[in-house]
Amino acid sequence: MKLEGGDVIRIKNSNRPMENYVAIRGDVYYGGNFDYEKNNSLLGLLEKVQPRYTARKDYVFVERTRPDQTVEILTVPFPDDSSEDFQLQAKDVIRVLSLTSFRDVDQISVNGQVRAPFTRTFGLNDRMTVNQAIELANGLKPSVYPVAYIFRRDITNPAKMEYLRINLETDGDTELQPGDRLNIYDNTTYTNVGEVRVSGAVKNPFGTEYDASLTVHDMLAMAGGLLDDADPYARLFRTYNNRGNIGLDLRKVKSNKGSLKADPILMEGDVINIVRLENTVSIRETGTRMAQYVPDEYASTQKTIVYQGGHNAAWYVRHYAGGFVKTADKNSVTVTFPNNQTESTKRGFLWIRRYPKVEPGGVVTLRIDEEKREKIEKPKEKIDWGNEF
């Protein structure tokens, strides 16, 4: 029929199910549904759909639908020119199996210090040596640890794992089997490598890899030396065994390189913090008359003043904290420096007190003499003068 402009063509849907067909599925290149009238031969249909190289060539399954819509599964020999052809029926579904579905396989993997880690699939009967696996992984990296481990999983019981120690220099002929995982480790993991850092009032703060030969003197030299306003008292913070802050006197460090008394040996994780010089002195209130001379609104537990020179702690208490209270324990006067080093009061010639010298950043503290306090605060007994005579 010749069509003209404006014509509309309508094609109706059919509710009648497709019945006169055969279908083929599975490991073939051109699977799908085919006209039964032209494809009722199994051999002819297989030649048309072209089974893949991996297809199983000994038999196929034919799913045949009965009139009552139940399905019968037929096992049919794979046909060729020398065998008897199998005649198909309408609605037959042919399934071509794949060899890969019937193989017993597992993976071998090589991980860690190799140039090209890999995971490959192998048949259960296949084997390869450790040396072959390393070559397949493009060889070992220079930082390899000489001992590796094979994690061997039991194929029949996957929850069971065995660990085999391998010397990479002598055990290269050890065979790997499917399910094995060869782990090759980094040598640096087994060396005592960490980092030490210098921060604060130095010319070039930096961090570097730890070495047992490093000292604080070395680190200060590598950091370009101290700034002019560096406090000679720099704390060393040590993470090893949770040591915490360690007191340093940088003047002794600089003049006593390598001395066990003055120049600490560094450990991995150490942080040398050089603080800026703070020319102040703090005096704690306890044992002093500070509270008597400070209005309540300005009351504090300590007083901070500008450093007034190298006087001793008693001089600072007398001049800036109002002196000592009667119950003060003058033998307990101490000065704590920024590096947590503490100097205490000592007895000299004729038991004369020698108070510690104060330096910038120092904190002056003392205690109350509890025996004196009890004597002073103890109520005195009243005397009845009338009964006395």
Side-chain angles (χ1 to χ4, degrees), residues 271-292:
V271 177
I272 305 168
N273 185 24
I274 313 296
V275 298
R276 292 184 181 277
L277 181 64
E278 188 175 4
N279 62 333
T280 60
V281 174
S282 296
I283 306 171
R284 297 280 171 82
E285 178 187 349
T286 302
T288 73
R289 298 181 183 276
M290 185 187 305
Q292 300 177 24

Side-chain angles (χ1 to χ4, degrees), residues 131 146-147 166-172:
N131 283 341
V147 174
I166 298 295
N167 186 316
L168 294 175
E169 296 180 355
T170 61
D171 299 335

Side-chain angles (χ1 to χ4, degrees), residues 48-68:
K48 181 176 292 186
V49 299
Q50 298 182 20
R52 298 177 186 272
Y53 172 75
T54 54
R56 188 163 181 170
K57 301 293 197 312
D58 51 352
Y59 64 88
V60 298
F61 286 132
V62 176
E63 299 175 9
R64 178 158 291 172
T65 303
R66 301 189 182 97
D68 62 359

Side-chain angles (χ1 to χ4, degrees), residues 220-234:
L220 294 179
M222 295 177 188
L226 303 176
L227 295 177
D228 293 338
D229 59 351
D231 192 328
Y233 295 109

Side-chain angles (χ1 to χ4, degrees), residues 8 14 39 54 73 153 184 264 269 272 274 332:
V8 176
S14 173
N39 298 280
T54 54
I73 305 298
R153 181 167 51 84
I184 300 176
I272 305 168
I274 313 296
S332 70

